[in-house]
Amino acid sequence: MRRKGITAVAITVAAMSVAATLSSAAASSPTEPGPSAAVAERVPPNAEAIREAMAGLPSAEATAAQVRLGGKGGRWSGTSGEADIRTHRAPKGDERFRAGSITKTFTAAVVLQLAHEGKLKLDGTVQHYLPGLLPAGYPEIRISQLLNYTSGLPSAGLPADFDWQYAHRFTAWDHRELVRRAVGRPMEFTPGTRQHYSNIGYNVLGLIIEEVTGRSYEREVRDRVIEPAGLENTYSAGDDPRIRGRHTRGYQTVKAGDGSSRLVDVTEWNQSITWASGDLVTTTADLERFSSALFRGRVVPKPELKLMFTVPDVPVHNPDGDPAEDEKATHTSGLTRVEVGKTVVYGKTGGRYGYLNGFGATEDLSRTLVYSVNSTDAKSETPTAVVGRIIEAGFRE
């Protein structure tokens, strides 16, 4: 199932409304902390709009939010809600959280560095670098097609419902086995002809990184991206289900058969099920620092960086719809291109249960935004309204 990105969130925000009640687990809070802010320098003109966008937490849709604004208009950071609804601890703005699919941008950066160094070729094939991984009947799939989601590889096919996922939250998944589960099914489309956003291609890229370097994926991300960019609070979680250091806790709303609902704490979760497509832990400050370094060409060399700002000219994979109504692709090699009003933004979103995050910026970094929202339904196909409000306020003219 195709994830809804920040495009869909921005479009639907006007029609969204915040639910009026909390589940019983969160409603017992005697206080309702309002957004707090720490001003680093000149305050951007849209800071107050952001403050209003994330006011009123905790609520039925989210328990906390951390936001950072930057660019030519100045810098601002703010928080809202409770980092832990049991203790009612307010977030300070430097708490760690699960980055989800923002991990893909880090994976893409490593692959593009390796391409620049001549250690792999972007027009090289999966069959060349990982012989035997894909079925013999599959067509050749290029590294570049994995990067921009045009490979046609089927998704892993694991159950997507929360109950199954929650029951397996401490499972340590073998990365090759996850790929094998996927490729036991037919290709979705001819490589290079359509775009389908999914995790499978980036997990294959993780395997390719290990094959061509002879080192672990986690070490390559650390040595090539995390440490050079000075990201002191970012790391690959591996099989550790915990989040190290101070962090926001994540919650998922679970409905019972009688219509009632409760919040389930989903903070502890083994992220090997996502690995190179979604296992990073980070902070908003680190993501701000990373995106600034990335866009300035300090993470990926500028010749390869162009691919991160290039959307392939293909339609979105639409197996059930009318081909005449196909959407145009929006994802690049590691980023997503979005129009928020008249502003063109490049960035990446990521969601794991309990955590819904994103970073985005204009290509010249005149406008930047990073957010982490502890959504109580982070994997829903319906966008969380507070996230939409934050994005709209962050890039409004």
Side-chain angles (χ1 to χ4, degrees), residues 23 47 63 66 71 75 96 214 227 242 254 268 282 314 316 319 344:
S23 66
T63 55
Q66 305 176 73
R75 298 169 65 82
R96 289 173 172 169
E227 290 188 352
R242 301 165 299 173
V254 177
E268 294 189 357
T282 190
V314 296
V316 171
V344 175

Side-chain angles (χ1 to χ4, degrees), residues 93-244:
D94 60 356
E95 282 83 0
R96 289 173 172 169
F97 52 85
R98 298 199 185 281
S101 288
I102 291 172
T103 304
K104 293 182 176 72
T105 309
F106 286 69
T107 301
V110 173
V111 171
L112 292 172
Q113 285 185 24
L114 292 170
H116 183 80
E117 296 165 9
K119 294 179 179 177
L120 60 77
K121 295 181 178 179
L122 295 180
D123 61 357
T125 66
V126 176
Q127 287 87 342
H128 171 75
Y129 291 106
L130 298 171
L133 179 68
L134 304 183
Y138 268 31
E140 290 191 336
I141 296 173
R142 304 188 185 281
I143 306 302
S144 59
Q145 293 165 344
L146 298 175
L147 282 168
N148 64 19
Y149 311 99
T150 62
S151 70
L153 286 175
S155 299
L158 297 175
D161 63 280
F162 174 76
D163 290 343
W164 187 93
Q165 294 273 335
Y166 186 73
H168 291 82
R169 68 191 184 280
F170 296 128
T171 301
W173 295 91
D174 178 84
H175 309 311
R176 285 180 178 264
E177 177 58 27
L178 283 175
V179 174
R180 293 191 186 100
R181 281 173 176 254
V183 300
R185 297 180 296 155
M187 292 281 292
E188 291 187 333
F189 51 83
T190 302
T193 63
R194 293 183 174 269
Q195 185 176 78
H196 183 193
Y197 181 90
S198 67
N199 289 342
I200 180 68
Y202 273 74
N203 286 334
V204 174
L205 288 172
L207 295 174
I208 291 172
I209 288 170
E210 294 191 331
E211 183 66 25
V212 301
T213 64
R215 306 200 309 169
S216 71
Y217 162 81
E218 293 80 5
R219 184 173 179 179
E220 288 297 308
V221 172
R222 183 195 68 197
D223 291 354
R224 289 177 171 275
V225 181
I226 294 174
E227 290 188 352
L231 312 183
E232 297 181 352
N233 290 292
T234 300
Y235 68 93
S236 297
D239 288 337
D240 188 351
R242 301 165 299 173
I243 300 178
R244 302 198 299 258

Side-chain angles (χ1 to χ4, degrees), residues 48-71:
E48 185 58 34
I50 290 285
R51 189 196 301 270
E52 294 175 1
M54 62 178 180
L57 302 184
S59 74
E61 64 171 1
T63 55
Q66 305 176 73
V67 180
R68 301 179 74 89
L69 279 174

Side-chain angles (χ1 to χ4, degrees), residues 1-9 101-102 104-105 108 144-151 189 194-199 202 305-317 327-339 345-350 359:
M1 183 176 292
R2 186 166 60 90
R3 293 280 311 282
K4 291 193 181 292
I6 50 181
T7 306
V9 175
S101 288
I102 291 172
K104 293 182 176 72
T105 309
S144 59
Q145 293 165 344
L146 298 175
L147 282 168
N148 64 19
Y149 311 99
T150 62
S151 70
F189 51 83
R194 293 183 174 269
Q195 185 176 78
H196 183 193
Y197 181 90
S198 67
N199 289 342
Y202 273 74
L305 183 62
K306 293 178 181 178
L307 292 174
M308 301 191 86
F309 295 98
T310 303
V311 178
D313 186 17
V314 296
V316 171
H317 179 52
E327 304 172 48
K328 288 291 187 180
T330 58
H331 302 292
T332 73
S333 296
L335 295 174
T336 305
R337 183 186 185 277
V338 177
E339 294 183 16
V345 177
Y346 291 88
K348 189 72 188 74
T349 60
F359 73 86

Side-chain angles (χ1 to χ4, degrees), residues 233-378:
N233 290 292
T234 300
Y235 68 93
S236 297
D239 288 337
D240 188 351
R242 301 165 299 173
I243 300 178
R244 302 198 299 258
R246 193 172 70 255
H247 55 274
T248 55
R249 300 198 69 82
Y251 305 92
Q252 172 67 28
T253 297
V254 177
K255 293 184 177 180
D258 62 2
S260 63
S261 62
R262 62 190 177 93
L263 287 184
V264 174
D265 191 317
V266 292
T267 307
E268 294 189 357
W269 202 298
N270 186 314
Q271 299 300 310
S272 61
I273 194 170
T274 59
W275 192 43
S277 64
D279 84 337
L280 281 184
V281 170
T282 190
T283 64
T284 55
D286 272 7
L287 285 182
E288 185 178 59
R289 188 174 296 112
F290 167 69
S291 58
S292 176
L294 178 69
F295 281 39
R296 288 188 167 95
R298 297 172 184 169
V299 176
V300 174
K302 290 189 175 181
E304 286 73 26
L305 183 62
K306 293 178 181 178
L307 292 174
M308 301 191 86
F309 295 98
T310 303
V311 178
D313 186 17
V314 296
V316 171
H317 179 52
N318 184 17
D320 302 319
D322 182 347
E325 299 176 355
D326 281 342
E327 304 172 48
K328 288 291 187 180
T330 58
H331 302 292
T332 73
S333 296
L335 295 174
T336 305
R337 183 186 185 277
V338 177
E339 294 183 16
V340 184
K342 297 180 180 180
T343 305
V344 175
V345 177
Y346 291 88
K348 189 72 188 74
T349 60
R352 300 302 299 152
Y353 285 112
Y355 303 90
L356 198 55
N357 328 290
F359 73 86
T362 55
E363 191 171 352
D364 64 359
L365 292 172
S366 61
R367 307 276 293 279
T368 70
L369 172 69
V370 181
Y371 65 85
S372 177
V373 172
N374 293 98
S375 169
T376 59
D377 197 9

